[in-house]
Amino acid sequence: MSTSSPKGTLYLVPTPLDFGCDTSQATPLPQVLPTHTVTVAAGLTHWITENAKSTRAFLKRVGEVAPLAAPLQSQQITELPREVHKKGDHGPGGFDARPLLTAALQGHDIGLVSEAGMPAVADPGGSVVRAAHELGLRVVPLVGPLSLMLALAGSGLNGQHFAFVGYLPQEPGERTQRIRELEAVALKTGQTQIAIETPYRNTALLKSLVQSLHTHTRLAVACNITLPSAAQHSALVSDWRRAVPTLPLDGPAVFLFGR
């Protein structure tokens, strides 16, 4: 009589929010990740990730705090397909991530990571989580930085009713129309609207928000959350129009608006 080995667990491992920033801006790992999260990450040897290079860089930082279960060169790191990065993994038909979880079916725990922050939230990874549930695997999200929630908490906007709307259109006319549509929802229902943008387009988005929103709407911007250069400003649009503060918009930013 044979018995099957127990299945592994899929751990959702949050990473620091300083990916892609100047190394002098890096925040010490113990300041942004709890000891338990670092310990679990150090104990894993199988990973699913957006980018293997950045995952190795993250594991190097983990190894400086807790000994790794396997050397960097022995870590089994599997990258998500590029189409999942570009198109997301929630489109029609989705992406079948079950083959990526073969090691978990053989009893190995697997860590899922994104470039920065919590995987599967404003980042790829949802397809892997869905596949894990389909395969009967245990899914455990670990505690760590989540820029959307940190920005919301520090904004003064409605934290009881909010929506993450992702990226807004790049074309100025379409972007303005979308901003006004979202603002109408916010003013009618009280629902805070949360958006993000690629850093090199942050300035253009902020300009559109300041120009397009009503003067009595509250606008908040949170930049470089958890980094030494972190800055957050929240004010009525009328105040933004009088004086736009100097913010580090060349890094990760979250934009929030509502009543």
Side-chain angles (χ1 to χ4, degrees), residues 42-59:
L44 299 174
T45 58
H46 291 70
W47 298 86
I48 300 173
T49 179
E50 287 186 69
N51 184 287
K53 181 179 179 180
S54 60
T55 298
R56 291 190 186 95
F58 167 61
L59 288 174

mmCIF file of all heavy atoms in Angstrom, residues 42-59:
data_model
loop_
_atom_site.group_PDB
_atom_site.id
_atom_site.type_symbol
_atom_site.label_atom_id
_atom_site.label_comp_id
_atom_site.label_asym_id
_atom_site.label_seq_id
_atom_site.Cartn_x
_atom_site.Cartn_y
_atom_site.Cartn_z
ATOM 1 N N ALA A 42 13.663 32.590 3.878
ATOM 2 C CA ALA A 42 14.987 31.972 3.949
ATOM 3 C C ALA A 42 14.908 30.456 3.855
ATOM 4 O O ALA A 42 15.843 29.803 3.376
ATOM 5 C CB ALA A 42 15.679 32.378 5.252
ATOM 6 N N GLY A 43 13.793 29.892 4.295
ATOM 7 C CA GLY A 43 13.642 28.441 4.303
ATOM 8 C C GLY A 43 13.161 27.850 2.991
ATOM 9 O O GLY A 43 13.135 26.622 2.837
ATOM 10 N N LEU A 44 12.788 28.689 2.045
ATOM 11 C CA LEU A 44 12.285 28.196 0.763
ATOM 12 C C LEU A 44 13.420 27.986 -0.239
ATOM 13 O O LEU A 44 14.426 28.692 -0.211
ATOM 14 C CB LEU A 44 11.273 29.185 0.180
ATOM 15 C CG LEU A 44 10.016 29.441 1.017
ATOM 16 C CD1 LEU A 44 9.175 30.547 0.400
ATOM 17 C CD2 LEU A 44 9.190 28.164 1.149
ATOM 18 N N THR A 45 13.227 27.023 -1.137
ATOM 19 C CA THR A 45 14.219 26.761 -2.187
ATOM 20 C C THR A 45 13.589 26.753 -3.577
ATOM 21 O O THR A 45 14.299 26.603 -4.571
ATOM 22 C CB THR A 45 14.914 25.405 -1.948
ATOM 23 O OG1 THR A 45 13.925 24.364 -1.905
ATOM 24 C CG2 THR A 45 15.696 25.417 -0.634
ATOM 25 N N HIS A 46 12.261 26.918 -3.650
ATOM 26 C CA HIS A 46 11.544 26.932 -4.927
ATOM 27 C C HIS A 46 10.737 28.225 -5.020
ATOM 28 O O HIS A 46 10.039 28.600 -4.065
ATOM 29 C CB HIS A 46 10.610 25.726 -5.050
ATOM 30 C CG HIS A 46 11.333 24.413 -5.196
ATOM 31 N ND1 HIS A 46 12.037 23.836 -4.160
ATOM 32 C CD2 HIS A 46 11.471 23.575 -6.266
ATOM 33 C CE1 HIS A 46 12.569 22.689 -4.576
ATOM 34 N NE2 HIS A 46 12.239 22.507 -5.837
ATOM 35 N N TRP A 47 10.808 28.885 -6.186
ATOM 36 C CA TRP A 47 10.193 30.196 -6.349
ATOM 37 C C TRP A 47 9.508 30.336 -7.702
ATOM 38 O O TRP A 47 9.961 29.772 -8.701
ATOM 39 C CB TRP A 47 11.252 31.302 -6.219
ATOM 40 C CG TRP A 47 11.920 31.332 -4.890
ATOM 41 C CD1 TRP A 47 13.020 30.600 -4.491
ATOM 42 C CD2 TRP A 47 11.514 32.090 -3.748
ATOM 43 N NE1 TRP A 47 13.318 30.859 -3.185
ATOM 44 C CE2 TRP A 47 12.418 31.780 -2.698
ATOM 45 C CE3 TRP A 47 10.496 33.016 -3.526
ATOM 46 C CZ2 TRP A 47 12.324 32.357 -1.445
ATOM 47 C CZ3 TRP A 47 10.406 33.590 -2.267
ATOM 48 C CH2 TRP A 47 11.301 33.262 -1.252
ATOM 49 N N ILE A 48 8.430 31.120 -7.713
ATOM 50 C CA ILE A 48 7.790 31.580 -8.952
ATOM 51 C C ILE A 48 7.839 33.097 -8.903
ATOM 52 O O ILE A 48 7.436 33.704 -7.900
ATOM 53 C CB ILE A 48 6.338 31.080 -9.066
ATOM 54 C CG1 ILE A 48 6.303 29.547 -9.070
ATOM 55 C CG2 ILE A 48 5.687 31.625 -10.348
ATOM 56 C CD1 ILE A 48 4.894 28.979 -9.013
ATOM 57 N N THR A 49 8.316 33.712 -9.971
ATOM 58 C CA THR A 49 8.616 35.135 -9.892
ATOM 59 C C THR A 49 8.421 35.837 -11.230
ATOM 60 O O THR A 49 8.296 35.194 -12.281
ATOM 61 C CB THR A 49 10.082 35.321 -9.436
ATOM 62 O OG1 THR A 49 10.396 36.700 -9.378
ATOM 63 C CG2 THR A 49 11.045 34.646 -10.417
ATOM 64 N N GLU A 50 8.391 37.152 -11.189
ATOM 65 C CA GLU A 50 8.390 37.951 -12.411
ATOM 66 C C GLU A 50 9.774 37.952 -13.049
ATOM 67 O O GLU A 50 9.911 37.861 -14.255
ATOM 68 C CB GLU A 50 7.989 39.403 -12.108
ATOM 69 C CG GLU A 50 6.539 39.628 -11.781
ATOM 70 C CD GLU A 50 6.236 41.102 -11.655
ATOM 71 O OE1 GLU A 50 6.279 41.807 -12.687
ATOM 72 O OE2 GLU A 50 5.966 41.574 -10.533
ATOM 73 N N ASN A 51 10.808 38.086 -12.215
ATOM 74 C CA ASN A 51 12.159 38.257 -12.728
ATOM 75 C C ASN A 51 13.142 37.532 -11.803
ATOM 76 O O ASN A 51 13.244 37.854 -10.616
ATOM 77 C CB ASN A 51 12.491 39.749 -12.797
ATOM 78 C CG ASN A 51 13.848 40.013 -13.410
ATOM 79 O OD1 ASN A 51 14.868 39.773 -12.775
ATOM 80 N ND2 ASN A 51 13.862 40.504 -14.635
ATOM 81 N N ALA A 52 13.850 36.564 -12.353
ATOM 82 C CA ALA A 52 14.761 35.758 -11.547
ATOM 83 C C ALA A 52 15.897 36.600 -10.964
ATOM 84 O O ALA A 52 16.322 36.385 -9.823
ATOM 85 C CB ALA A 52 15.336 34.615 -12.379
ATOM 86 N N LYS A 53 16.388 37.559 -11.732
ATOM 87 C CA LYS A 53 17.512 38.382 -11.268
ATOM 88 C C LYS A 53 17.130 39.169 -10.015
ATOM 89 O O LYS A 53 17.880 39.204 -9.030
ATOM 90 C CB LYS A 53 17.964 39.323 -12.373
ATOM 91 C CG LYS A 53 19.148 40.197 -11.993
ATOM 92 C CD LYS A 53 19.575 41.094 -13.151
ATOM 93 C CE LYS A 53 20.755 41.981 -12.751
ATOM 94 N NZ LYS A 53 21.171 42.865 -13.868
ATOM 95 N N SER A 54 15.950 39.808 -10.038
ATOM 96 C CA SER A 54 15.540 40.592 -8.873
ATOM 97 C C SER A 54 15.215 39.686 -7.686
ATOM 98 O O SER A 54 15.414 40.066 -6.530
ATOM 99 C CB SER A 54 14.343 41.480 -9.215
ATOM 100 O OG SER A 54 13.236 40.702 -9.633
ATOM 101 N N THR A 55 14.733 38.473 -7.965
ATOM 102 C CA THR A 55 14.469 37.531 -6.875
ATOM 103 C C THR A 55 15.770 37.105 -6.207
ATOM 104 O O THR A 55 15.841 36.994 -4.971
ATOM 105 C CB THR A 55 13.706 36.299 -7.399
ATOM 106 O OG1 THR A 55 12.436 36.726 -7.921
ATOM 107 C CG2 THR A 55 13.473 35.280 -6.293
ATOM 108 N N ARG A 56 16.811 36.878 -6.981
ATOM 109 C CA ARG A 56 18.113 36.546 -6.391
ATOM 110 C C ARG A 56 18.639 37.709 -5.553
ATOM 111 O O ARG A 56 19.234 37.496 -4.482
ATOM 112 C CB ARG A 56 19.110 36.175 -7.491
ATOM 113 C CG ARG A 56 18.800 34.843 -8.191
ATOM 114 C CD ARG A 56 19.925 34.403 -9.097
ATOM 115 N NE ARG A 56 19.539 33.208 -9.840
ATOM 116 C CZ ARG A 56 19.029 33.234 -11.068
ATOM 117 N NH1 ARG A 56 18.875 34.393 -11.696
ATOM 118 N NH2 ARG A 56 18.690 32.119 -11.678
ATOM 119 N N ALA A 57 18.419 38.936 -6.043
ATOM 120 C CA ALA A 57 18.852 40.106 -5.269
ATOM 121 C C ALA A 57 18.093 40.175 -3.941
ATOM 122 O O ALA A 57 18.678 40.501 -2.891
ATOM 123 C CB ALA A 57 18.633 41.377 -6.081
ATOM 124 N N PHE A 58 16.803 39.864 -3.985
ATOM 125 C CA PHE A 58 16.004 39.837 -2.759
ATOM 126 C C PHE A 58 16.507 38.752 -1.814
ATOM 127 O O PHE A 58 16.677 38.989 -0.606
ATOM 128 C CB PHE A 58 14.533 39.603 -3.108
ATOM 129 C CG PHE A 58 13.651 39.250 -1.940
ATOM 130 C CD1 PHE A 58 13.482 40.133 -0.878
ATOM 131 C CD2 PHE A 58 12.991 38.023 -1.893
ATOM 132 C CE1 PHE A 58 12.673 39.801 0.205
ATOM 133 C CE2 PHE A 58 12.181 37.686 -0.822
ATOM 134 C CZ PHE A 58 12.033 38.582 0.235
ATOM 135 N N LEU A 59 16.784 37.566 -2.348
ATOM 136 C CA LEU A 59 17.249 36.468 -1.510
ATOM 137 C C LEU A 59 18.622 36.764 -0.911
ATOM 138 O O LEU A 59 18.931 36.325 0.208
ATOM 139 C CB LEU A 59 17.292 35.168 -2.319
ATOM 140 C CG LEU A 59 15.923 34.575 -2.664
ATOM 141 C CD1 LEU A 59 16.075 33.371 -3.592
ATOM 142 C CD2 LEU A 59 15.172 34.181 -1.406
#
